[in-house]
Amino acid sequence: MSRIVYVNGHYLAEADAKVSVFDRGFLFADGVYEVSSVIHGRLVDNSAHLKRLQRSLAELKIDFPMTVEEIEAIQLEMLSRNRLEEGILYLQVTRGAADRDFGHPENPEPSLVMFTQVKQLLDNPAAQKGMTVITVDDIRWRRRDIKTVQLLAPSLAKQMATDAGADDAWLIEDGMVTEGTSNNAWIIKGGKLITRHLSSDILHGITRRAVLRLAQEEGIVFEERAFSIDEAKLADEAFVTSASAFVMPVVKIDDQLIGNGNPGAVTSRLRDLYIQEAKRS
Ligand code: PDD
């Protein structure tokens, strides 16, 4: 079955879904996106994703005329038309099409595109085994808090990981871990959860926020602060969070096994808690 893709007011077979060559997303990466997960046919934590979308748009001064309710109605229609039970819904807004010029066009018409991807999120086999990561220099721009479609640096880092036989990369700046290529990075030492504090150095993950709240409810102590790659390699457990991975154990960083090289107990508990809650959304 071919997917139905949404493009600016139209629901189209994927082969017929097209955007302009002059779209500024294509020419300048002048656009933002969101990835919401779908479990049992329902969006998880979607209002938080749409709130972050509004913020990203405002930071780039993209004046997108649709309300959150209107966007959500299209999202739900997409799930229904694609009969998506488990996977992700991708949403992208760009400044729109205009003759190529570095400055912003005067009256741009922003473009909205959505598509679905079927993915096994709940029984993801990677969660049993855990992921291996390599460390790569973080060469991204300075506004990583804006979820732009400018993903060349993380894409290159992910490919470096694949070429090295690893699953993903953790990005390093001044000896400290910023985040993963498409996820937030966490370590656990002596029962304490540590993840980098919010700033423009990282994306403010929606899953990160939910996991911090769950940890608090569970009475797990946490610290929001930068941690070094050396500290990470000595951690008892490590994991990443994202809308598509939920809570995913990391069992090896470069050549160093984390703990005994298996997913840790606290990580597994947080994954279970997150999934229980996500199923209730
Ligand atoms: N990525 N950090 C980065 C750089 C990300 O790209 C993502 C998400 C996250 C986690 O954010 P959230 O918990 O809101 O998904 C952190 C998505 C999944 C992607 O690009 O596919």
Side-chain angles (χ1 to χ4, degrees):
M1 187 190 81
S2 154
R3 279 177 296 189
I4 301 296
V5 172
Y6 176 87
V7 185
N8 295 322
H10 304 283
Y11 295 91
L12 303 164
E14 62 180 77
D16 300 327
K18 307 251 177 355
V19 290
S20 167
V21 163
F22 296 100
D23 189 281
R24 288 181 59 95
F26 179 57
L27 297 177
F28 293 100
D30 191 356
V32 300
Y33 75 106
E34 281 297 328
V35 173
S36 298
S37 54
V38 176
I39 298 181
H40 300 331
R42 296 161 75 104
L43 290 158
V44 177
D45 224 347
N46 190 50
S47 54
H49 283 283
L50 292 184
K51 205 162 162 198
R52 186 173 63 189
L53 175 74
Q54 300 293 336
R55 178 180 182 273
S56 295
L57 288 167
E59 290 297 314
L60 294 191
K61 298 186 168 53
I62 294 178
D63 192 8
F64 187 56
M66 249 183 223
T67 64
V68 162
E69 289 74 23
E70 287 167 330
I71 299 173
E72 195 165 26
I74 302 168
Q75 288 182 300
L76 296 178
E77 184 66 23
M78 279 293 286
L79 299 193
S80 152
R81 289 192 186 223
N82 286 282
R83 295 193 179 83
L84 184 66
E85 279 298 309
E86 190 170 329
I88 62 154
L89 177 64
Y90 178 93
L91 175 171
Q92 174 172 318
V93 180
T94 69
R95 199 178 305 275
D99 201 11
R100 185 174 182 275
D101 191 284
F102 279 71
H104 294 168
E106 255 177 36
N107 293 305
E109 277 185 35
S111 161
L112 171 63
V113 166
M114 290 186 205
F115 58 82
T116 54
Q117 286 182 318
V118 174
K119 264 189 204 298
Q120 205 176 356
L121 301 178
L122 295 173
D123 292 321
N124 185 341
Q128 306 296 324
K129 225 167 62 137
M131 282 180 10
T132 60
V133 301
I134 59 165
T135 51
V136 173
D137 245 6
D138 194 342
I139 60 166
R140 297 174 301 163
W141 78 327
R142 306 280 284 277
R143 291 301 309 276
R144 302 153 192 164
D145 55 315
I146 310 173
K147 199 162 171 61
T148 74
V149 296
Q150 182 211 48
L151 296 173
L152 189 54
S155 163
L156 286 170
K158 175 87 181 186
Q159 190 55 43
M160 282 166 75
T162 305
D163 293 345
D167 298 311
D168 201 0
W170 277 14
L171 306 175
I172 310 297
E173 191 167 59
D174 302 326
M176 310 301 264
V177 176
T178 50
E179 55 190 332
T181 58
S182 60
N183 43 57
N184 290 113
W186 304 66
I187 56 171
I188 303 174
K189 185 74 182 174
K192 188 190 289 176
L193 214 48
I194 302 158
T195 193
R196 195 174 173 111
H197 55 285
L198 296 181
S199 72
S200 51
D201 293 338
I202 63 167
L203 186 74
H204 301 189
I206 304 302
T207 322
R208 174 191 180 282
R209 197 177 69 174
V211 168
L212 279 177
R213 183 177 37 73
L214 290 169
Q216 192 157 30
E217 286 165 14
E218 276 289 286
I220 301 172
V221 183
F222 62 84
E223 262 179 40
E224 292 178 82
R225 63 161 173 86
F227 57 88
S228 70
I229 187 56
D230 296 334
E231 186 179 4
K233 286 182 179 175
L234 293 173
D236 302 326
E237 299 184 31
F239 64 94
V240 295
T241 53
S242 77
S244 49
F246 297 160
V247 175
M248 184 60 63
V250 168
V251 295
K252 195 173 167 199
I253 304 175
D254 292 330
D255 290 327
Q256 179 68 51
L257 284 184
I258 303 305
N260 61 8
N262 291 308
V266 180
T267 303
S268 301
R269 172 85 185 127
L270 287 170
R271 181 176 173 85
D272 288 349
L273 286 170
Y274 183 81
I275 286 176
Q276 272 173 35
E277 183 171 270
K279 279 180 174 167
R280 287 196 297 267
S281 14

